[in-house]
Amino acid sequence: MIGKFTDGGGRILSKITVVKNILDANDRIADENRKLFDEKKIFVLNLMSSPGAGKTSLLEKTIEALQEQYKIIVIEGDIQGSADAERIAKFDIPVVQINTGGACHIDGNMIRETLPGFDLSQVDLLITENVGNLVCPAEFNIGENAKVMILSTPEGSDKPLKYPLIFQKSEVMIINKIDLIPYVDFDMVKAKKDALSLNRDLQIFEVSCKTSEGLQDWYRWLSDRIRAYKNG
Amino acid sequence: MIGKFTDGGGRILSKITVVKNILDANDRIADENRKLFDEKKIFVLNLMSSPGAGKTSLLEKTIEALQEQYKIIVIEGDIQGSADAERIAKFDIPVVQINTGGACHIDGNMIRETLPGFDLSQVDLLITENVGNLVCPAEFNIGENAKVMILSTPEGSDKPLKYPLIFQKSEVMIINKIDLIPYVDFDMVKAKKDALSLNRDLQIFEVSCKTSEGLQDWYRWLSDRIRAYKNG
């Protein structure tokens, strides 16, 4: 998050205006991305979570399930390295790795600079995997149709009330690693109740990317949304 | 992370200077905090990890183990809420909750503003629990003696190479939730090797805050460090 810097003089720096300018500039670029995606009829997901909640695993499962129906491309966002892009490349779909070089989130401009690396004709679905971070990515639009977040059961059911923005901004919350529920302290009722108290329209799917339990509902939601967008 | 903003004109904004100023200003305040801690002979830990890796659980265990030997105080950092401070208050030790109001990390000034809320005489150990985030907190010194990070096994062994800075800046890596190893994909050898490749002086402890396995070594390290500091 970049909105609240403090210094010796007081809690909020006057440089807050810089931050607002950056967010405004980002929104303008995100809007331009959105226009391009609309021209090409590309449905775009912005996939966000803590490190290790299962973004890449969900991506792998989703590609496996839907790549015969839809032409999918992927943008991987990491601070450094290309491990995730290599996992995705195995599915023989176009993938570009963004290395943010330290930055804690993906922004609209990073996406824009990445797009010339793809052939966008006939693409149905672009999935962007954000940097693993439950805080900062929620503030930066990239021109997506929907923000989708993952909460994994080992993280605990107290997360919605502690990291509210990402739950408020997301259209979907995927509760992953339900296979671990017997071994971790996770109160499913509380997690869902607290998340819905922040965002009553939140779609919730309980899944295990390891056992594939629950994933069919997610595939169906995504497929329905892609079709509705293309026909809309 | 706040160092790399992008806009339409190029990859890095000229406002990068603002970011540098902020980090410099933070370092000055952290140095002042450090002077105060040295006067009072208070050993300070900055505890960092992803959301849900077990910072508060480690804190609870550590307080339980060491509160008879040392006078401990705690600063809890969260975006909002006071759930963690309430967990710590049960041990009848002084705790102050910082709500960052959106910010993704604790900084030196937040700590400074919190200190008047404590009676600092006779305090041996201050533990600060940072906002759950594997990226941004590593950049902000608070005047600590040591940064301690937790990596939990469900997050996966690929994290050191993807989030290098926090591994480089930390003196200790606690690998938590080793009780879950049979149920998750976690390559202990790789995690340790990659972390040590980033920081060959990293102290590593393998623990389970749930079963208490491995915690004795951590208590001993911490106790030794506190004593060495007080006698130093």
Side-chain angles (χ1 to χ4, degrees):
Chain A
M1 219 292 298
I2 57 163
K4 313 279 190 322
F5 298 131
T6 69
D7 76 353
R11 176 111 296 187
I12 311 268
L13 281 182
S14 64
K15 280 101 180 180
I16 192 85
T17 52
V18 174
V19 174
K20 187 165 182 315
N21 289 347
I22 289 168
L23 286 171
D24 287 349
N26 181 66
D27 276 346
R28 278 197 303 280
I29 297 169
D31 287 346
E32 288 168 25
N33 290 346
R34 185 65 256 158
K35 268 182 211 134
L36 176 65
F37 296 140
D38 280 341
E39 266 169 39
K40 307 276 185 188
K41 281 281 182 193
I42 302 173
F43 188 81
V44 181
L45 287 187
N46 181 357
L47 188 56
M48 307 180 293
S49 78
S50 295
K55 291 182 294 304
T56 317
S57 299
L58 183 78
L59 241 171
E60 289 173 321
K61 288 286 183 178
T62 303
I63 291 166
E64 219 167 38
L66 299 184
Q67 72 175 343
E68 304 231 320
Q69 269 174 277
Y70 302 111
K71 184 168 172 197
I72 305 174
I73 62 174
V74 169
I75 298 175
E76 284 290 341
D78 279 296
I79 290 175
Q80 69 172 40
S82 60
D84 289 350
E86 284 158 31
R87 282 171 65 180
I88 299 308
K90 286 183 189 141
F91 294 91
D92 204 23
I93 65 166
V95 55
V96 170
Q97 175 81 50
I98 293 175
N99 278 168
T100 65
C104 53
H105 61 273
I106 285 177
D107 66 22
N109 194 51
M110 294 180 199
I111 298 299
R112 179 166 68 176
E113 293 191 9
T114 305
L115 293 177
F118 292 104
D119 170 9
L120 294 178
S121 61
Q122 313 301 322
V123 170
D124 300 303
L125 173 63
L126 161 61
I127 308 182
T128 295
E129 182 179 338
N130 220 308
V131 177
N133 184 333
L134 212 51
V135 187
C136 316
E139 298 197 60
F140 287 82
N141 298 319
I142 56 173
E144 67 273 64
N145 295 75
K147 291 178 165 71
V148 172
M149 66 160 296
I150 303 177
L151 175 66
S152 63
T153 60
E155 293 173 70
S157 31
D158 57 348
K159 294 301 163 290
L161 298 187
K162 289 170 81 174
Y163 303 87
L165 187 69
I166 197 165
F167 294 85
Q168 286 160 343
K169 295 269 189 177
S170 294
E171 191 171 326
V172 173
M173 170 172 71
I174 291 176
I175 300 180
N176 189 26
K177 307 193 189 183
I178 58 172
D179 56 293
L180 293 179
I181 286 178
Y183 315 111
V184 298
D185 296 322
F186 187 79
D187 182 338
M188 181 65 83
V189 174
K190 176 178 163 54
K192 290 162 73 170
K193 189 177 129 264
D194 288 350
L196 289 167
S197 79
L198 294 165
N199 177 358
R200 66 181 192 175
D201 298 321
L202 195 64
Q203 290 277 336
I204 302 176
F205 301 102
E206 302 171 29
V207 315
S208 164
C209 288
K210 192 164 190 177
T211 68
S212 297
E213 191 182 343
L215 285 170
Q216 290 300 331
D217 291 339
W218 155 246
Y219 303 149
R220 197 172 306 120
W221 178 89
L222 179 54
S223 211
D224 287 351
R225 281 296 308 269
I226 296 169
R227 259 180 285 128
Y229 170 69
K230 294 215 165 245
N231 298 330
Chain B
M1 220 293 297
I2 59 165
K4 313 279 190 321
F5 298 132
T6 68
D7 77 354
R11 176 109 294 184
I12 312 268
L13 279 182
S14 63
K15 278 102 179 179
I16 193 87
T17 53
V18 174
V19 174
K20 185 160 184 320
N21 289 346
I22 289 167
L23 286 172
D24 287 349
N26 181 66
D27 276 346
R28 279 197 303 278
I29 298 169
D31 288 346
E32 289 169 22
N33 291 345
R34 185 65 256 158
K35 269 183 211 133
L36 176 66
F37 296 140
D38 280 342
E39 266 169 42
K40 307 274 185 191
K41 282 281 181 194
I42 302 173
F43 189 81
V44 181
L45 288 187
N46 182 357
L47 187 55
M48 307 181 291
S49 78
S50 294
K55 290 182 295 304
T56 317
S57 299
L58 182 77
L59 242 172
E60 290 174 320
K61 288 286 184 179
T62 304
I63 291 167
E64 220 166 38
L66 299 183
Q67 71 175 345
E68 304 229 323
Q69 270 173 276
Y70 301 110
K71 185 169 170 196
I72 306 174
I73 63 174
V74 170
I75 298 175
E76 284 290 342
D78 279 296
I79 290 173
Q80 69 172 38
S82 60
D84 289 349
E86 285 159 30
R87 282 172 65 181
I88 299 308
K90 285 184 190 139
F91 293 92
D92 204 22
I93 65 164
V95 53
V96 169
Q97 175 81 51
I98 293 175
N99 278 168
T100 66
C104 53
H105 61 273
I106 284 177
D107 65 22
N109 194 51
M110 294 181 200
I111 298 299
R112 178 165 70 176
E113 293 191 6
T114 304
L115 294 177
F118 292 104
D119 171 8
L120 294 179
S121 59
Q122 314 300 323
V123 169
D124 302 301
L125 174 62
L126 161 61
I127 308 182
T128 296
E129 181 178 339
N130 221 308
V131 177
N133 185 333
L134 212 52
V135 188
C136 317
E139 297 198 63
F140 287 83
N141 298 320
I142 58 172
E144 66 275 65
N145 294 74
K147 290 179 165 71
V148 172
M149 67 158 298
I150 303 176
L151 174 66
S152 63
T153 60
E155 292 172 71
S157 32
D158 57 347
K159 295 301 163 288
L161 297 187
K162 289 169 82 174
Y163 303 87
L165 188 68
I166 197 165
F167 294 85
Q168 287 160 343
K169 294 269 189 174
S170 294
E171 190 170 327
V172 173
M173 169 171 73
I174 291 174
I175 301 182
N176 189 26
K177 307 192 189 182
I178 59 171
D179 55 293
L180 293 179
I181 286 177
Y183 315 111
V184 299
D185 297 323
F186 186 80
D187 182 338
M188 181 66 81
V189 174
K190 177 179 162 54
K192 289 162 75 170
K193 187 177 130 264
D194 288 350
L196 288 167
S197 78
L198 294 164
N199 176 359
R200 65 183 192 172
D201 298 321
L202 195 64
Q203 289 277 335
I204 303 178
F205 300 102
E206 302 173 28
V207 314
S208 164
C209 288
K210 194 165 188 175
T211 68
S212 296
E213 191 183 343
L215 285 171
Q216 291 300 332
D217 291 338
W218 155 246
Y219 303 150
R220 197 171 308 119
W221 179 90
L222 180 53
S223 211
D224 286 350
R225 281 296 308 267
I226 296 170
R227 259 181 285 128
Y229 170 69
K230 293 217 166 242
N231 298 331

